Amino acid sequence: MTNVDLSHISGKLFIGGAFVEGRGERIDVLNPARGEVIGQIAATTAEEIDSAVESARAAFRTWSRVPAKTRSNALHRLGDLIAADAHRMAQIMTSEQGKPLNEAKGEILKLAEACHFYGEEAVRVFGEIVPNDQNGYQSQVIREPIGVVGAITPWNYPAELVGWKLCASLAAGCTILIKPAELTPFTALAIAEKVKEAGILDGVVSVLTGKGSIVGQALVEHPGVDKIAFTGSSAVGLHIQRSCPSVKRLSLELGGNCPLIVTKSADIDAAVKGATRRSFRNMGQICIAINRIYVAREIYDTFLDKFAKAADALTIGDGLNNPAADIGSMASADPLAKTRDHLADASDKGARVIAGGRAPEGAGFENGFFFRPTIVADCTHEMKVMSEETFGPLVGVAPFDTLEEAAALANDTPYGLASYVFARDLQEIYQLSAELDYGNVAINNVDAGIMNAPYGGRKQSGIGYEHGREGLLEYFNFKHVRLFHGVGA
Ligand code: NAP
Ligand code: MG
């Protein structure tokens, strides 16, 4: 059985460029596939938070002024170091999060890719000269880094969701204090080890572990933090917006309740493949997971039949021992309980379970948070599976008769993160992509997010963007310099 040594980072904080023994109380971290304690985090104390903010403010004065090329080089070095150590970093992630090792490694490599993308963007932060109302003036619109960023992140993608904020901050010239999820702190500390190896200026990056309601909230309220970059639930995002005691820049990447529409012109096999991947990957614990599927009535039964077979074929296992399993355990008891609750609610209200519906049995599954990928058919919007974010390996399916009905059902949600369509008829494709009220629409594929296009939600799914040029802009203030030079006046 593979085990991972975390003794070098257990109980540590990363402040001012050094790993320090945290002075606060210890909180156990579990391997969710085995139910075993793998290490402890220290709850960052108020004094430690103050000292981290102070070091970030001091570092900002230097880091914001070094040439962009220096920051770019640092990001490229960081990307190389992360890629070179992807296997060990992936083991750390799997041991705290539960996803299969190969998936974790893929995520680490995407973090490395993000470092290189933002390394390239760092030297392409342009300003503008804009026309004036009189001769003799020049208006320069320039970008200046916002300052100290507080990043608060969830447990489902412990490397990428830290990484996008980290890389954008580094590229822009901001400094960053990272409060990782309580369930997955060690991936963030492993990233901090790479920051140190890359020789990034002390104080530019800190990692502060502990409870969101205490350490996260302290960053939200701290007068020395200029921006909060948050990824997590809509409830906590709204709480942050409401509880922020001063005017502060906020980016909020929040929950989703993402629909897939499969029209009668769709390639059914491609739609089944996409639905299987995007409903169940990472045990459905993805903000852009497919939660609900609307299928044209003409192909409803065929789709259900193939989809149930594909879900039943997915392999599940302990992610460290079975690196190539399709899915691992869930990250904790909470999302598993919510999945069971949504399943029971759907069954009570008349849905048919056509795949899964239970935990896998046998050796290796006794102590972990495992559940079979589950499909419920004939769903209605009275069921939680269709109207709330499950964040688990459960998806609801319903038939539709007209495209207008499908679009209306898809938009019948307070969320607006990602949506998916499988169709081959061009008119259907255009109609749906115009009508879907979502920040992302993926058509005939299920990968809505790529590194160089903006990624963000609407409505209760958040404000602001990550990825792409737009994501980097979230870390800048604009400054208008109106200069009178007198030439031509
Ligand atoms: P969560 O409960 O909202 O927690 C997210 C982070 O906020 C954690 O670090 C948490 O700390 C912290 N936190 C909790 N209360 C806080 C407070 N009062 N002040 C400041 N920080 C606080 O979300 P989660 O359960 O970890 O993640 C699942 C959710 O994230 C889902 O809704 C999912 O859709 C969303 N998500 C969105 C995206 C996106 O890009 N839009 C991506 C991934 C996930 P603790 O760990 O200590 O609780
Ligand atoms: Mg939570």
Side-chain angles (χ1 to χ4, degrees):
M1 183 173 281
T2 313
N3 283 306
V4 179
D5 180 19
L6 295 163
S7 54
H8 58 299
I9 43 178
S10 190
K12 298 285 198 302
L13 307 175
F14 185 64
I15 298 179
F19 283 92
V20 296
E21 198 66 39
R23 290 196 295 265
E25 58 154 319
R26 294 297 191 263
I27 303 168
D28 284 341
V29 180
L30 285 187
N31 177 330
R34 299 178 187 174
E36 288 167 0
V37 175
I38 54 169
Q40 277 89 31
I41 51 168
T44 310
T45 64
E47 295 74 40
E48 288 164 332
I49 293 169
D50 282 340
S51 108
V53 172
E54 208 174 296
S55 77
R57 293 220 73 81
F60 176 68
R61 284 192 283 278
T62 310
W63 186 247
S64 56
R65 289 171 195 165
V66 303
K69 184 71 187 157
T70 305
R71 294 197 297 269
S72 166
N73 289 343
L75 274 159
H76 286 302
R77 271 198 313 279
L78 184 62
D80 287 342
L81 288 165
I82 288 169
D85 202 16
H87 185 73
R88 193 188 63 92
M89 292 178 75
Q91 286 182 323
I92 291 175
M93 190 196 301
T94 295
S95 68
E96 64 183 4
Q97 204 274 348
K99 68 180 68 177
L101 188 67
N102 291 355
E103 286 268 319
K105 193 166 174 185
E107 186 183 337
I108 297 288
L109 292 173
K110 283 180 86 176
L111 167 64
E113 193 194 309
C115 292
H116 293 302
F117 175 79
Y118 283 105
E120 289 167 12
E121 286 300 311
V123 291
R124 294 182 195 142
V125 177
F126 308 128
E128 270 186 330
I129 307 265
V130 300
N132 259 277
D133 52 355
Q134 295 169 55
N135 287 344
Y137 288 86
Q138 187 184 60
S139 276
Q140 307 164 350
V141 179
I142 59 172
R143 292 168 193 181
E144 294 183 340
I146 288 176
V148 176
V149 175
I152 303 174
T153 53
W155 42 261
N156 59 336
Y157 283 89
E160 284 193 272
L161 297 175
V162 166
W164 300 341
K165 298 163 185 67
L166 169 68
C167 295
S169 294
L170 292 179
C174 292
T175 58
I176 184 167
L177 305 158
I178 299 161
K179 204 306 276 179
E182 219 176 304
L183 297 179
T184 57
F186 292 124
T187 304
L189 287 165
I191 295 169
E193 289 187 288
K194 299 295 135 189
V195 166
K196 191 161 179 56
E197 270 179 71
I200 292 170
L201 180 74
D202 291 350
V204 169
V205 180
S206 299
V207 177
L208 307 174
T209 55
K211 287 197 184 302
S213 54
I214 300 171
V215 181
Q217 190 69 39
L219 294 178
V220 170
E221 292 176 8
H222 206 294
V225 175
D226 302 298
K227 171 193 164 92
I228 293 291
F230 172 80
T231 302
S233 59
S234 295
V236 173
L238 179 61
H239 171 79
I240 287 175
Q241 193 177 47
R242 282 187 170 147
S243 64
C244 198
S246 60
V247 175
K248 204 169 271 205
R249 285 279 289 269
L250 287 179
S251 18
L252 303 172
E253 296 285 349
L254 307 177
N257 180 16
C258 307
L260 161 65
I261 298 173
V262 185
T263 75
K264 62 179 187 304
S265 75
D267 174 341
I268 297 179
D269 290 331
V272 165
K273 195 168 168 216
T276 307
R277 174 178 161 82
R278 193 47 77 223
S279 301
F280 301 123
R281 191 162 179 249
N282 204 15
M283 287 297 260
Q285 304 165 125
I286 317 185
C287 51
I288 56 166
I290 294 171
N291 283 246
R292 47 203 175 97
I293 304 179
Y294 306 98
V295 184
R297 197 175 298 277
E298 295 88 331
I299 58 168
Y300 185 65
D301 290 332
T302 312
F303 178 88
L304 286 180
D305 188 43
K306 291 182 179 222
F307 189 29
K309 286 197 179 78
D312 285 339
L314 291 174
T315 59
I316 181 164
D318 175 310
L320 285 176
N321 294 336
N322 302 283
D326 291 310
I327 43 182
S329 77
M330 301 192 74
S332 76
D334 289 350
L336 177 55
K338 194 173 183 192
T339 302
R340 288 184 184 277
D341 172 54
H342 283 196
L343 174 59
D345 172 77
S347 301
D348 287 350
K349 291 174 182 161
R352 267 189 300 141
V353 179
I354 62 162
R358 57 179 177 81
E361 280 144 27
F365 296 117
E366 307 90 331
N367 302 316
F369 304 114
F370 291 98
F371 205 71
R372 284 295 319 170
T374 301
I375 303 170
V376 282
D378 309 342
C379 292
T380 67
H381 279 210
E382 274 58 61
M383 300 170 187
K384 291 181 190 174
V385 66
M386 302 301 269
S387 58
E388 293 179 22
E389 180 185 44
T390 306
F391 225 60
L394 172 67
V395 64
V397 193
F400 71 83
D401 292 303
T402 66
L403 224 50
E404 290 70 21
E405 183 195 357
L409 286 166
N411 287 335
D412 175 27
T413 171
Y415 295 104
L417 191 55
S419 54
Y420 304 89
V421 173
F422 275 83
R424 282 184 290 203
D425 179 293
L426 203 56
Q427 227 175 352
E428 288 181 341
I429 290 174
Y430 266 83
Q431 187 175 337
L432 288 174
S433 69
E435 279 182 24
L436 286 167
D437 192 10
Y438 288 83
N440 306 270
V441 183
I443 297 162
N444 295 326
N445 74 92
V446 292
D447 294 289
I450 60 164
M451 191 50 70
N452 53 2
Y455 166 81
R458 299 178 175 183
K459 294 153 78 177
Q460 300 308 301
S461 291
I463 44 175
Y465 297 90
E466 295 195 292
H467 290 191
R469 295 241 163 114
E470 294 81 356
L472 189 53
L473 278 181
E474 300 277 333
Y475 291 79
F476 287 105
N477 285 319
F478 290 115
K479 181 184 270 177
H480 173 205
V481 180
R482 187 161 186 260
L483 165 74
F484 178 69
H485 50 63
V487 177

